[in-house]
Amino acid sequence: VAMTKLGQWLCVLALLGSAWAALALAPPGLQPPTPLRQALLPLPIYLLVAFGCYSLATVGYRLATFNDCEEAAAELQEHIRAARADLRRRGLRL
Amino acid sequence: LSVLLPTYNERDNLPLVVWLLVRTFRDSGIDFEIIIIDDGSPDGTQEIAEQLAKIYGSDKILLRPRPSKLGLGTAYIHGMKHATGNFIVIMDADLSHHPKFIPEFIRKQKEGNFDIVSGTRYKGNGGVYGWDLRRKLISRGANFLTQVLLRPGASDLTGSFRLYRKEVLQKLMEKCVSKGYVFQMEMIVRARQLGYTIGEVPISFVDRVYGESKLGGNEIVSFLKGLLTLFATT
């Protein structure tokens, strides 16, 4: 059975989320060593912020490198001129 | 090869597109037919189409008009009914897509035996003319969101300049239900679901109507709704 993209996201989030909750929110007896817990607790926020930065950087880069087709536009103008002339010769009444 | 040209109020552009198509095909020796599906344009597009059929022959220019604006999806279905080519090219009739890329689509298709070849504005030396920063930002932003959510395996999902194997297009038309930009996206997503292969060719998109038709809040909202629907259902 193929899963929807939403289904895939929920699965992965559930897995990571429960792993994080098990380790970071464990009751006092089962807690991992303190340095690990200190790093683990804010991890979701860090990842979110990191993804946000990645998104901004990627979209910014793609925006900056979005090609402007100057020659294509100029070439099109030429082709339009040629087309109009030829079509008139062939009897097209505009 | 059959070219499907849905038109609405393209009285000025239609003869130019057809002229460019005919010249491209004749120069590269490609056997072709052009199917013009006019949705009852009030500006006389159909009349121009009839003149073109007389000039180039009604075996090359096929007219399949419809009484009113009935949507792109049904236009493709309607046009395909009498298409005799093994491959179908869909494109815009407003000169934003230049026929000169079609031989490149064909070459790419042969190279990888692809089921679909999609023209992309975002890769290689593909690009756009006539867009301001705002429009480009929206385009890149929307595409990024689409890539993250749908991981489609194609760089340009909302483009509408593509070559399809006829059976592939027919199969996809049965399954796709969205409208507008999302319709083009859904085609690629469903194609991947069905295991079809997709090749890409960089194209230049020359927008001459952007000044008149700004991309407004409404379209952005309906795009997002469509994207989320695809995210949740495919």
Side-chain angles (χ1 to χ4, degrees):
Chain A
V1 168
M3 212 189 274
T4 63
K5 289 287 181 294
L6 177 60
Q8 289 171 5
W9 277 60
L10 291 177
C11 265
V12 170
L13 286 175
L15 259 141
L16 294 178
S18 44
W20 175 83
L23 288 172
L25 308 175
L30 298 156
Q31 278 167 3
T34 311
L36 183 61
R37 258 185 59 227
Q38 276 176 345
L40 225 45
L41 224 37
L43 197 58
I45 302 293
Y46 284 173
L47 289 177
L48 217 56
V49 171
F51 177 70
C53 292
Y54 165 76
S55 304
L56 283 173
T58 305
V59 174
Y61 171 74
R62 289 178 181 171
L63 177 62
T65 56
F66 209 160
N67 288 329
D68 265 309
C69 305
E70 307 278 338
E71 322 100 47
E75 182 190 58
L76 183 63
Q77 287 303 104
E78 267 183 56
H79 288 172
I80 290 177
R81 263 192 295 263
R84 287 214 173 107
D86 188 47
L87 284 167
R88 227 171 290 133
R89 249 182 291 124
R90 289 175 191 255
L92 188 80
R93 281 167 291 108
L94 288 158
Chain B
L1 181 76
S2 306
V3 180
L4 296 185
L5 272 184
T7 61
Y8 190 72
N9 283 347
E10 293 291 359
R11 184 208 174 79
D12 295 326
N13 291 325
L14 181 60
L16 304 172
V17 163
V18 169
W19 188 86
L20 286 170
L21 281 166
V22 173
R23 195 177 75 155
T24 304
F25 291 135
R26 290 209 174 131
D27 285 350
S28 14
I30 297 170
D31 191 21
F32 72 98
E33 65 184 3
I34 300 171
I35 304 174
I36 301 175
I37 307 125
D38 185 49
D39 278 1
S41 301
D43 72 344
T45 304
Q46 183 59 10
E47 195 238 337
I48 290 278
E50 284 161 11
Q51 284 192 52
L52 289 165
K54 249 184 242 128
I55 293 175
Y56 289 112
S58 51
D59 57 326
K60 291 296 180 200
I61 313 280
L62 278 58
L63 303 178
R64 298 280 175 271
R66 302 193 298 176
S68 64
K69 219 163 190 267
L70 296 172
L72 207 55
T74 49
Y76 291 155
I77 297 176
H78 183 77
M80 264 198 293
K81 278 204 199 100
H82 304 278
T84 60
N86 299 320
F87 291 95
I88 307 226
V89 169
I90 62 162
M91 58 186 287
D92 290 350
D94 61 359
L95 290 175
S96 53
H97 295 148
H98 198 300
K100 70 178 180 182
F101 291 107
I102 298 181
E104 290 185 40
F105 285 5
I106 295 174
R107 210 172 316 143
K108 185 77 190 182
Q109 192 282 326
K110 289 205 177 95
E111 185 186 294
N113 197 26
F114 293 111
D115 298 308
I116 302 175
V117 177
S118 175
T120 173
R121 295 160 291 176
Y122 299 133
K123 259 171 55 172
N125 57 359
V128 187
Y129 177 84
W131 280 4
D132 60 6
L133 210 61
R134 173 183 174 270
R135 181 67 182 88
K136 285 186 186 174
L137 178 61
I138 295 176
S139 185
R140 284 296 200 178
N143 182 259
F144 178 77
L145 196 57
T146 306
Q147 296 291 330
V148 167
L149 289 180
L150 298 181
R151 299 192 322 272
S155 62
D156 192 343
L157 276 249
T158 53
S160 51
F161 194 4
R162 299 184 186 150
L163 170 83
Y164 293 84
R165 257 194 241 276
K166 184 154 114 184
E167 323 83 68
V168 171
L169 186 59
Q170 280 167 335
K171 191 75 194 287
L172 288 175
M173 292 310 312
E174 287 167 29
K175 297 195 142 248
C176 292
V177 294
S178 337
K179 303 257 177 337
Y181 290 121
V182 186
F183 170 64
Q184 303 293 351
M185 281 168 41
E186 191 184 358
M187 299 255 262
I188 296 283
V189 170
R190 299 257 177 236
R192 292 262 294 169
Q193 263 187 333
L194 294 167
Y196 293 132
T197 52
I198 302 173
E200 295 195 293
V201 167
I203 58 159
S204 46
F205 180 91
V206 179
D207 196 337
R208 304 187 306 155
V209 300
Y210 176 54
E212 306 145 30
S213 60
K214 301 253 169 218
L215 194 68
N218 269 339
E219 280 157 306
I220 297 182
V221 167
S222 65
F223 168 80
L224 287 173
K225 285 216 296 241
L227 176 59
L228 289 175
T229 306
L230 283 179
F231 179 59
T233 58
T234 62

